[in-house]
């Protein structure tokens, strides 16, 4: 979780480095970093497997040693001070590296790690994500995959069912950290026979009434992709309800290719069909809309080496999609 520093002036963190004083205490620093990232003493105690009183004691001791407060106590959680932001920037990298080495070089026999639970849209995971993750899976990461709609998956993330979620809806609230992963270009598509029923001149004038009478095929009842396309291209919302609702974009692609209406799809999913002529874009706007996909993780997630590896790999490979 990202914390905003307080408006207090930053204070130098050199109290513990005076001549003759001992170095900073490693358990205190680990506890500090957990509180800083989790945003509360309660969440940090769960992450560390410590009592809340132990966490409080360690933070107080560290604050006394540094001679400055690190957290401002709030009714719910804590806010990091400027000194905490400075300290986190200094110690986070070394502590994370140390934890990674300890995990990797553990010599005692271990049981197989629990699978990383990844969830997201079926088409995106099947067509883009899973094929690209083959090298990571080969490195020892075990993976469990769940398909679903954004609201259900984000609720599952908050409830601890998933480690990482790819969401086409922007996650809200402090319980989830999310970063933009990629932007999908959205395309209005239909089969060639359906296209002959559309007044393209009227459509190019940005009049969605040109599509009236053409069945709309959608991913969900609230028309998430069509709604974004209509807003961006036509400056309005769809007025027609979906005639067919299918929670899998690949099935929607096959449905409209067979002549059963019109839909909005990410370009990566229909590019080859557009080239072959199986599908057509009756409008082809010069400035097509885009839909952002977010990579989400619980803000209080326990540090897990395999989850971190998978998250870093997703952020790396998304740039090539």
């Amino acid at each position: 979780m990202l914390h905003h520093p307080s408006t207090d002036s930053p204070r130098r963190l050199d109290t513990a480095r005076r001549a003759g004083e001992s170095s900073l205490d490693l358990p205190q620093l680990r506890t500090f970093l957990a509180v800083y990232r989790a945003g509360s003493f309660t969440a940090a105690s769960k992450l560390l497997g410590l009592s809340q009183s132990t966490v409080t004691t360690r933070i107080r001791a560290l604050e006394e040693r540094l001679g400055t407060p690190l957290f401002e106590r709030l009714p719910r959680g804590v806010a990091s001070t400027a000194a905490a932001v400075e300290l986190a920037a200094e110690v986070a990298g070394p502590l994370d590296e140390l934890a990674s080495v300890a995990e990797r070089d553990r010599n005692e026999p271990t049981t197989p790690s629990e699978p990383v639970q990844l969830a997201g849209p079926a088409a995106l995971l099947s067509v883009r994500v899973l094929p690209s993750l083959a090298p990571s899976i080969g490195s020892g990461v075990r993976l469990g995959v769940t398909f679903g709609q954004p609201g259900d998956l984000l609720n599952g993330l908050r409830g601890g069912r998933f480690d990482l979620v790819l969401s086409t809806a922007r996650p809200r609230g402090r319980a989830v950290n999310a970063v933009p992963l990629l932007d999908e270009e959205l395309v209005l598509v239909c089969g060639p026979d359906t296209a002959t029923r559309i007044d393209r001149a009227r459509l190019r004038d940005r009049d969605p009434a040109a599509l009236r009478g053409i069945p709309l095929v959608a991913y969900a009842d609230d028309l998430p992709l069509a709604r974004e396309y209509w807003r961006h291209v036509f400056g309005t919302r769809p007025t027609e309800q979906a005639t067919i609702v299918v929670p899998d974009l690949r099935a929607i692609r096959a449905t409209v290719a067979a002549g059963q209406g019109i839909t909005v799809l990410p370009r990566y999913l229909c590019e080859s069909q557009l080239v072959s002529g199986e599908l057509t874009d009756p409008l082809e706007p010069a400035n097509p809309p885009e839909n952002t996909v977010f990579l989400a993780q619980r803000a209080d997630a326990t540090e897990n080496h395999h989850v971190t590896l998978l998250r870093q790999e997703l952020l790396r490979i998304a740039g090539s999609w």
Side-chain angles (χ1 to χ4, degrees):
M1 175 176 293
L2 295 178
H3 299 283
H4 298 289
S6 70
T7 55
D8 297 337
S9 300
R11 300 182 59 176
R12 292 181 56 82
L13 300 175
D14 57 1
T15 304
R17 298 172 177 80
R18 296 171 185 164
E21 287 196 7
S22 61
S23 60
L24 293 175
D25 182 79
L26 186 57
Q28 290 176 2
L29 291 176
R30 285 173 171 160
T31 303
F32 156 76
L33 193 59
V35 175
Y36 178 83
R37 287 172 167 170
S40 78
F41 284 17
T42 302
S45 67
K46 293 178 181 178
L47 290 174
L48 298 170
L50 300 172
S51 68
Q52 188 168 339
S53 62
T54 299
V55 170
T56 301
T57 299
R58 288 183 178 180
I59 295 301
R60 285 177 177 170
L62 183 59
E63 288 176 329
E64 290 177 2
R65 173 167 292 188
L66 295 174
T68 184
L70 296 172
F71 300 105
E72 177 187 353
R73 278 63 170 177
L74 303 174
R76 295 183 61 183
V78 295
S80 300
T81 65
V85 174
E86 183 183 349
L87 180 60
E90 182 177 353
V91 305
L95 288 178
D96 287 343
E97 185 176 353
L98 180 60
S100 177
V101 170
E103 177 73 18
R104 185 176 66 245
D105 295 340
R106 191 176 297 156
N107 293 322
E108 68 270 15
T110 60
T111 57
S113 62
E114 289 294 319
V116 177
Q117 296 298 326
L118 175 67
L124 178 62
L125 287 172
S126 300
V127 176
R128 283 291 198 215
V129 176
L130 293 177
S132 301
L133 286 178
S136 297
I137 307 305
S139 67
V141 176
R142 300 175 66 214
L143 188 62
V145 177
T146 300
F147 301 148
Q149 297 193 33
D152 296 333
L153 298 182
L154 290 172
N155 286 336
L157 178 68
R158 296 183 183 96
R161 288 179 53 212
F162 309 123
D163 298 300
L164 297 169
V165 166
L166 301 181
S167 174
T168 53
R170 181 187 293 273
R172 304 292 183 183
R174 297 181 59 189
V176 174
N177 285 339
V179 295
L181 184 67
L182 74 151
D183 291 324
E184 304 173 323
E185 181 185 330
L186 301 182
V187 187
L188 183 71
V189 295
C190 61
D193 290 342
T194 303
T196 63
R197 299 162 51 193
I198 299 173
D199 184 343
R200 294 201 180 192
R202 188 176 184 184
L203 190 63
R204 284 192 288 271
D205 286 338
R206 299 296 192 269
D207 184 357
L211 301 174
R212 190 168 297 153
I214 308 294
L216 180 61
V217 187
Y219 182 82
D221 287 322
D222 60 348
L223 314 177
L225 297 183
R227 190 175 64 246
E228 178 59 25
Y229 189 96
W230 257 246
R231 182 195 65 79
H232 182 90
V233 175
F234 301 125
T236 186
R237 297 172 62 90
T239 58
E240 304 290 331
Q241 292 185 326
T243 302
I244 304 174
V245 175
V246 188
D248 189 317
L249 295 180
R250 294 164 299 176
I252 292 176
R253 180 184 62 191
T255 299
V256 297
Q260 298 298 317
I262 196 164
T263 193
V264 175
L265 292 174
R267 179 170 289 279
Y268 76 83
L269 195 59
C270 59
E271 183 68 36
S272 62
Q273 288 78 13
L274 289 169
V275 171
S276 69
E278 184 180 1
L279 291 173
T280 185
D281 179 352
L283 181 53
E284 298 182 343
N287 179 29
E290 292 184 338
N291 187 52
T292 300
V293 177
F294 296 89
L295 176 59
Q297 185 177 16
R298 290 192 314 280
D300 63 351
T302 304
E303 293 292 330
N304 181 301
H305 181 56
H306 283 178
V307 173
T308 300
L309 280 178
L310 194 65
R311 184 178 186 277
Q312 291 173 344
E313 185 65 5
L314 283 168
L315 292 170
R316 184 186 70 82
I317 62 179
S320 64
W321 292 339

